[in-house]
Amino acid sequence: MKSVGVFCLLSAVVLVTSRPETYTDRFDNINLQEIIDNHRLLKAYINCILDVGKCTNEGRELKMHIKDAIENRCDKCTEVQRNGTRIVIRHLINHEPSSWDELVQKYDPERKYVVKYEAELKDVLKD
């Protein structure tokens, strides 16, 4: 099982290094598309982050930094992590809206920060 992490994005995205100005890049080689395409694996990461399921070590570390990454537009992310975050958030907004809503409720209940992501990453259906 590739339990290395979707939300090491978001996610995938937010694990701290010994340098406080950036998150660790040790998970930058994760194949996020493979995780997104595997609903069972994606749901396991979502459940971890929502505190309703078991977590991998990566998932636990990610949970510690998600709020900071959301609030600061991933300022401490590597370029790979920024791109991965956009991929995962776009997928959640457009294909897993109930999971996205649950994550928003937990990490940004006042919706101060996520509106930026939603406006930028929501796919607009054209007639």
Side-chain angles (χ1 to χ4, degrees):
M1 182 168 149
K2 290 191 171 94
S3 60
V4 202
V6 119
F7 292 97
C8 293
L9 51 79
L10 217 203
S11 119
V13 144
V14 278
L15 308 176
V16 179
T17 69
S18 57
R19 300 178 334 205
E21 67 275 2
T22 61
Y23 301 120
T24 186
D25 63 357
R26 74 177 178 215
F27 300 108
D28 282 7
N29 63 347
I30 293 171
N31 184 339
L32 296 177
Q33 193 60 51
E34 199 168 331
I35 295 169
I36 288 171
D37 291 343
N38 182 333
H39 185 73
R40 184 178 52 82
L41 183 56
L42 177 62
K43 193 63 177 168
Y45 277 100
I46 292 168
N47 287 342
C48 163
I49 293 168
L50 291 173
D51 294 322
V52 295
K54 292 183 180 181
C55 293
T56 63
N57 290 333
E58 296 87 1
R60 278 189 290 278
E61 192 167 351
L62 173 64
K63 279 196 315 187
M64 292 188 315
H65 306 293
I66 277 182
K67 191 163 178 66
D68 178 65
I70 290 171
E71 291 175 3
N72 295 300
R73 277 303 266 180
C74 216
D75 286 344
K76 296 178 185 176
C77 295
T78 66
E79 193 60 35
V80 170
Q81 293 165 349
R82 275 188 199 90
N83 291 335
T85 299
R86 292 172 54 81
I87 289 167
V88 172
I89 291 175
R90 173 174 273 128
H91 177 80
L92 292 174
I93 289 170
N94 293 299
H95 302 288
E96 305 280 344
S98 61
S99 293
W100 173 248
D101 290 341
E102 289 179 274
L103 290 164
V104 168
Q105 185 58 39
K106 180 167 182 72
Y107 291 99
D108 188 14
E110 296 176 12
R111 301 185 58 77
K112 290 181 184 178
Y113 308 102
V114 299
V115 292
K116 299 177 219 172
Y117 297 105
E118 291 171 338
E120 179 181 344
L121 299 174
K122 184 167 182 114
D123 291 341
V124 179
L125 298 175
K126 297 190 176 23
D127 294 330

